[in-house]
Amino acid sequence: MGLTKSEKQQSGSDVIVTLAGHIDEDAQFTALDLSGASGKVVVDIEGVTAINSCGIREWVKWIRTAPNTTSVVFKKCPKVIVDQINMVTGFLPENGKVESFFVPYYSDESGNEKMVLFEEGKQFNGGDVNPPAEVKDESGEAMEMDVIEAKYFKFLKK
Amino acid sequence: MSEVDYSYFDALVDSVFVLNKDKGISYCNESAAKLFESSVRRLSKGRPLSEYAKFANENLFTADAHPMQEVQFELVAGGKSGKVQMATQPFVNSKGEAGWIAVIRDVTLEEALHAKHHKQLQELEAYSKNLEQMVQERTAQVQKANIMLAAIMNSLGQGFLVFDRDGTCSDFYTKACEDILESSPAQKKIWDVLKLNPNEIETFKMWTQATFAEQLPFDSMKDLGPSAYKHSQDRHVRLDYFPIRAEDNKIVNVVQVATDWTNEYLAQQALEKEKKYARMIIKLVTSKRQFASFLESVPAVLRECRKLALDSQHFDYETSFRLLHTLEGEAGIYSALRIWQASRQAQEVIEPVKRGEATFTPEIHSKYTQAINHLEAEYKAFLQENAELFELAGMGGSQKVELEKVHVSNVIHHLKSKAVSTDTIHYLEDELMRETVISSLNHYNDVISDVAARLSKKVYPIEFVGGDLRLFTENYQNLFSSLVHAFRNAVDHGLEGPEDREMMGKDPSGRLVFKSEFFELNNRRWVRFALSDDGQGIDASRIRTKFAGSTESDDEIIQHVFDPGLTTRTVVGEFSGRGVGLNAVKAEAEALGGRAIVKTEIGKGSQLIVEVPDLGFPNSQKLSA
């Protein structure tokens, strides 16, 4: 299937990369080479819905094109990406950081799911996590984090 | 949920489930949650594994360990299904609780990738085969087009070849080159193909360089190149040039087209010759006396030229040249081509002597003599080949004087008044004013030949009996003109086709006889004209059908052929069927005070007889200037 969207734009000295779709064997990162980036690289990855082992390889190859001196910031990371960050060494490069990510919430009562965006400085700060006091679904039912917190937020402590 | 720490399975890529003794899920890692499209938190509540997924092999959770084996699986909630490799291990945890550890590897992706790869390989293979086939088809198309192009080019009968800026001819050329340029030009130098001499080659090379560089526009440059090829058999070959340009519009090759226009050249020559002949005839008619004088002067010129050459030491080439040149000029005026060419050739022999470039050597003397002899031969040939024409024009023989008939009539009338004898008067009238019948009717030979040819019949020329009978033909012009219908009818209606005639034992070619004779009637001289044919005769019964109830005899009924509007033809042909022809003959005969009748014999032929008085010179003729 591959990426349905892969854009690279210059914003001053910063490079903005927007990705959506599947990061798999069909994903092409050639046009997104980051070797020329001098400022910050911002990767908006909200639209990525799936990633497989072939995609992880392609991702790691691509993210390493960013110069070591360049800061790579990941915005709106979906759960599939956070899981890979936690499991795969090198998925998040040394010069990379997560600025925001989604946390799945689930209601046992209604069975509804919801993704809540955690942003740096708001819901987390460094390794400390300050989740919202309560999250409710559309029917007003209380929702709980559908993750093992210690494991899901583990990457923040690195 | 068990409180045993199974977090060492967290980092594994493979999916790991820890099941309790009831096969409820005590623990799963993130990969397992992903496989089951759920979350660790939801899956780890102790619900049975079977609530989430069905495995094709249900006997994996026994007291024995089961190594990795491929198993089909399907999520209970629907959506995902595929193949996994699954291994199970019964164990007892630190709390002494029995259960199983299940390690599951999702090979769906591998299968999918393999299938995808296989499909891509198949597509590539199909594409390659297709490509090969397309290439083959395209090659065949191009070959076919090339063959057709070559056939078309070769059918044009022109020599096409291509040469580059170095003058090297390519392998492409039409077969006609072998005939027109007398060689196969492939890989040869163009100047060798054209058989240029060394001087010409250098010029040609310069022209080639300038042409390819387009120092001037191509259309201007090409006119400076060789325009003709000297064929060894004296054929006339014209050369044309066309550029082949690359994408940047630079000339990369030049196409040379060699056209053999020998036939057109010869046709032009023949046409010129005919035009000159026509001009000669016009001159003959309009300047007969001068023409005759020119012809008479030629022998004198020949004599003088021979006389001048007798003394080779003191050959008067000036006078000789002048005589020949004058003769050439006159021959040109009268379009006497043979004499013109021969006198010109004779001049060319002595021209170097005249210009002081040579002396009158024995060799030149011999050539001069030959040229004069040739001129004489051409003169005689000219006279011979135009003898009939000159005779018709009244040239040759003794001198002639033209007089108008009315003047002669006036002289005779004057003589009558002087009581010159009747015999003498008649003699003068006969000799000076009467003309022969044949001279007025001879041209009908062309008419009957033409009719016979168009009807695929054969006919001999008209046999004139008594054709030298002399009449004042002015009186009979209308009658003679009307006889065209009689002659046409004789061929059209009278004569059978050659095959029919042969079957009847007749000569395939029909015969027409026109007999003229005087006879006496009521103390007056009459003339009888009888046109006979040896055809099929007139069928009286066919005419009788137009006159139902008639009691006329056959001899009488056939006289109705003179009736206006009568025709037994159902179709109007080119020559007859309009029912007009013989009526005109009868009308003219009767206008002269005579009569016309027909006689016939079936299978043998018919005879048209016209009897009219022998009339004198028409008194109504006016004097002409």
Side-chain angles (χ1 to χ4, degrees):
Chain A
M1 182 177 287
L3 291 168
T4 55
K5 185 174 182 181
S6 61
E7 291 176 357
K8 186 171 89 170
Q9 292 171 326
Q10 202 74 28
S11 176
S13 62
D14 293 348
V15 174
I16 314 293
V17 176
T18 308
L19 301 175
H22 290 198
I23 301 177
D24 57 16
E25 64 279 3
D26 294 325
Q28 294 289 328
F29 288 94
T30 319
L32 304 176
D33 186 270
L34 303 173
S35 54
S38 55
K40 189 170 65 177
V41 176
V42 178
V43 182
D44 183 338
I45 203 169
E46 180 181 3
V48 173
T49 52
I51 185 166
N52 65 14
S53 55
C54 296
I56 291 169
R57 195 177 301 115
E58 294 302 313
W59 166 278
V60 171
K61 276 185 350 192
W62 167 63
I63 207 65
R64 282 180 183 168
T65 62
N68 292 335
T69 51
T70 302
S71 166
V72 183
V73 174
F74 295 91
K75 285 171 65 170
K76 300 179 186 173
C77 297
K79 180 179 182 296
V80 293
I81 296 298
V82 173
D83 287 341
Q84 299 308 319
I85 293 173
N86 282 321
M87 284 200 299
V88 179
T89 303
F91 194 91
L92 188 68
E94 288 295 326
N95 51 340
K97 69 177 274 186
V98 175
E99 188 181 270
S100 57
F101 61 95
F102 286 95
V103 177
Y105 277 74
Y106 178 74
S107 166
D108 284 327
E109 296 300 322
S110 65
N112 288 331
E113 297 175 353
K114 187 175 181 179
M115 290 292 174
V116 176
L117 186 66
F118 276 40
E119 294 175 281
E120 187 174 31
K122 294 180 183 175
Q123 290 78 19
F124 72 94
N125 206 342
D128 296 325
V129 179
N130 301 307
E134 63 174 4
V135 174
K136 289 186 180 177
D137 65 12
E138 286 169 359
S139 57
E141 293 292 336
M143 303 180 87
E144 291 180 1
M145 275 192 214
D146 195 14
V147 293
I148 307 295
E149 292 174 38
K151 295 177 184 176
Y152 195 70
F153 299 127
K154 187 169 138 187
F155 72 94
L156 293 174
K157 296 191 188 307
K158 287 186 184 170
Chain B
M1 193 163 70
S2 168
E3 295 171 1
V4 174
D5 181 16
Y6 295 108
S7 64
Y8 37 82
F9 292 127
D10 288 348
L12 292 182
V13 176
D14 289 337
S15 304
V16 176
F17 288 92
V18 176
L19 303 180
N20 59 29
K21 63 179 172 45
D22 297 318
K23 296 176 197 159
I25 301 173
S26 301
Y27 163 87
C28 75
N29 63 3
E30 204 53 59
S31 296
K34 188 178 168 191
L35 178 67
F36 277 28
E37 294 182 351
S38 183
S39 69
V40 170
R41 193 180 74 84
R42 279 181 263 165
L43 288 174
S44 304
K45 289 184 177 175
R47 304 299 307 166
L49 180 70
S50 56
E51 273 189 21
Y52 300 101
K54 294 277 184 234
F55 294 93
N57 188 351
E58 294 287 345
N59 299 321
L60 291 169
F61 302 101
T62 64
D64 299 316
H66 294 272
M68 277 290 186
Q69 57 184 277
E70 214 161 82
V71 182
Q72 195 74 26
F73 91 102
E74 188 183 346
L75 292 182
V76 170
K80 193 170 182 178
S81 66
K83 273 193 191 155
V84 294
Q85 288 173 340
M86 188 167 170
T88 57
Q89 175 70 53
F91 85 109
V92 176
N93 66 15
S94 57
K95 284 192 171 180
E97 296 162 337
W100 289 271
I101 295 176
V103 177
I104 303 175
R105 179 174 299 159
D106 184 4
V107 296
T108 309
L109 173 64
E110 282 177 33
E111 283 249 329
L113 285 177
H114 178 76
K116 195 171 176 182
H117 184 236
H118 184 68
K119 187 181 168 194
Q120 284 176 344
L121 276 176
Q122 281 181 329
E123 283 172 1
L124 190 62
E125 212 173 288
Y127 177 76
S128 291
K129 274 187 190 161
N130 258 359
L131 193 63
E132 210 175 294
Q133 192 173 345
M134 277 168 58
V135 167
Q136 278 176 359
E137 283 171 8
R138 194 80 182 119
T139 304
Q141 276 176 4
V142 170
Q143 277 175 347
K144 193 175 168 187
N146 281 344
I147 290 169
M148 195 175 298
L149 182 64
I152 291 170
M153 298 286 281
N154 281 323
S155 74
L156 293 174
Q158 289 174 298
F160 286 82
L161 61 83
V162 181
F163 64 91
D164 61 17
R165 64 173 64 244
D166 295 327
T168 306
C169 296
S170 76
D171 291 334
F172 172 78
Y173 64 94
T174 56
K175 203 155 170 54
C177 285
E178 292 169 4
D179 178 41
I180 297 175
L181 297 175
E182 304 175 285
S183 74
S184 301
Q187 297 307 316
K188 291 181 184 168
K189 292 296 186 186
I190 180 67
W191 41 83
D192 291 331
V193 173
L194 296 179
K195 299 188 180 66
L196 301 180
N197 64 43
N199 286 342
E200 290 169 328
I201 290 175
E202 284 313 304
T203 308
F204 184 90
K205 282 182 180 174
M206 286 195 287
W207 172 78
T208 306
Q209 293 303 318
T211 300
F212 274 82
E214 281 197 281
Q215 290 174 7
L216 286 176
F218 184 86
D219 283 343
S220 301
M221 284 306 304
K222 71 176 184 179
D223 293 336
L224 301 175
S227 60
Y229 166 73
K230 294 191 196 88
H231 198 278
S232 65
Q233 303 301 314
D234 291 329
R235 281 155 67 174
H236 296 268
V237 178
R238 183 176 58 230
L239 302 176
D240 289 307
Y241 302 91
F242 300 90
I244 296 178
R245 298 180 184 274
E247 281 185 6
D248 59 359
N249 211 36
K250 294 237 188 296
I251 297 175
V252 291
N253 283 302
V254 169
V255 176
Q256 182 190 77
V257 182
T259 307
D260 182 354
W261 65 293
T262 305
N263 289 341
E264 288 87 342
Y265 174 80
L266 292 175
Q268 273 178 19
Q269 294 292 102
L271 182 63
E272 275 306 312
K273 197 173 169 185
E274 286 205 13
K275 280 183 186 173
K276 283 184 178 163
Y277 187 70
R279 279 197 286 271
M280 185 193 80
I281 292 173
I282 291 169
K283 283 286 181 186
L284 180 62
V285 170
T286 58
S287 313
K288 190 169 71 175
R289 195 178 311 139
Q290 293 87 336
F291 200 114
S293 174
F294 153 68
L295 290 178
E296 284 164 11
S297 71
V298 175
V301 169
L302 290 168
R303 276 196 301 274
E304 189 60 30
C305 284
R306 286 196 171 104
K307 187 177 160 190
L308 289 170
L310 284 173
D311 184 0
S312 59
Q313 296 297 318
H314 301 95
F315 172 58
D316 187 355
Y317 52 82
E318 291 280 3
T319 303
S320 184
F321 194 92
R322 189 180 64 249
L323 287 170
L324 290 168
H325 195 64
T326 304
L327 186 62
E328 180 202 340
E330 280 193 302
I333 290 171
Y334 298 110
S335 300
L337 191 59
R338 278 184 185 269
I339 301 172
W340 179 82
Q341 277 178 339
S343 57
R344 195 175 177 81
Q345 283 164 7
Q347 289 173 73
E348 284 169 2
V349 171
I350 57 172
E351 193 153 12
V353 178
K354 180 177 174 296
R355 286 200 302 263
E357 294 168 4
T359 53
F360 198 60
T361 60
E363 191 187 342
I364 292 180
H365 183 255
S366 171
K367 282 187 183 171
Y368 176 74
T369 306
Q370 283 172 21
I372 298 300
N373 290 340
H374 175 66
L375 174 57
E376 184 176 22
E378 289 294 280
Y379 166 68
K380 286 178 179 171
F382 177 74
L383 288 179
Q384 192 167 357
E385 73 188 14
N386 294 293
E388 196 180 336
L389 179 66
F390 293 154
E391 190 182 330
L392 278 172
M395 283 170 62
S398 52
Q399 249 184 334
K400 289 184 181 157
V401 174
E402 283 187 2
L403 295 171
E404 298 222 9
K405 273 196 178 179
V406 68
H407 289 148
V408 176
S409 174
N410 290 340
V411 166
I412 292 174
H413 190 72
H414 179 74
L415 289 174
K416 275 183 186 169
S417 72
K418 297 296 179 190
V420 170
S421 70
T422 309
D423 283 347
T424 304
I425 296 297
H426 283 161
Y427 171 74
L428 286 171
E429 282 180 343
D430 268 352
E431 286 298 314
L432 299 179
M433 297 185 68
R434 285 176 180 253
E435 290 177 64
T436 60
V437 168
I438 194 170
S439 66
S440 293
L441 300 178
N442 198 36
H443 65 284
Y444 282 127
N445 268 315
D446 293 337
V447 171
I448 64 166
S449 297
D450 185 52
V451 174
R454 292 189 192 206
L455 296 174
S456 301
K457 295 182 179 179
K458 292 182 180 178
V459 66
Y460 287 110
I462 302 166
E463 184 185 340
F464 284 97
V465 177
D468 55 351
L469 189 143
R470 301 177 79 88
L471 299 171
F472 290 104
T473 53
E474 297 81 0
N475 298 312
Y476 306 99
Q477 283 309 317
N478 290 342
L479 174 65
F480 288 159
S481 295
S482 70
L483 287 176
V484 67
H485 305 295
F487 280 104
R488 280 185 173 161
N489 276 359
V491 178
D492 189 359
H493 286 288
L495 300 184
E496 309 92 334
E499 291 82 13
D500 292 337
R501 288 177 68 87
E502 270 189 311
M503 279 173 54
M504 292 174 208
K506 290 183 180 178
D507 188 324
S509 295
R511 287 182 192 282
L512 299 186
V513 178
F514 192 89
K515 186 176 176 184
S516 311
E517 60 185 350
F518 286 122
F519 68 96
E520 286 284 325
L521 178 65
N522 299 331
N523 291 321
R524 195 178 171 186
R525 191 161 75 169
W526 284 60
V527 58
R528 178 181 295 118
F529 303 114
L531 171 60
S532 308
D533 66 72
D534 67 344
Q536 58 191 332
I538 301 171
D539 186 352
S541 61
R542 291 187 70 189
I543 299 176
R544 202 177 284 284
T545 59
K546 305 281 181 184
F547 300 94
S550 169
T551 56
E552 289 173 309
S553 65
D554 282 354
D555 282 342
E556 288 166 338
I557 206 92
I558 63 170
Q559 302 310 314
H560 284 287
V561 296
F562 293 110
D563 288 359
L566 180 90
T567 178
T568 55
R569 279 273 169 87
T570 53
V571 175
V572 172
E574 182 179 352
F575 307 113
S576 56
R578 289 187 173 80
V580 170
L582 292 182
N583 172 255
V585 175
K586 186 175 180 185
E588 292 301 335
E590 288 173 353
L592 292 169
R595 67 168 189 159
I597 59 170
V598 293
K599 291 184 178 175
T600 192
E601 194 176 341
I602 290 290
K604 293 254 175 94
S606 301
Q607 192 178 51
L608 166 67
I609 299 170
V610 174
E611 293 170 348
V612 286
D614 176 22
L615 300 169
F617 186 69
N619 293 328
S620 60
Q621 290 271 339
K622 292 180 185 172
L623 281 171
S624 54

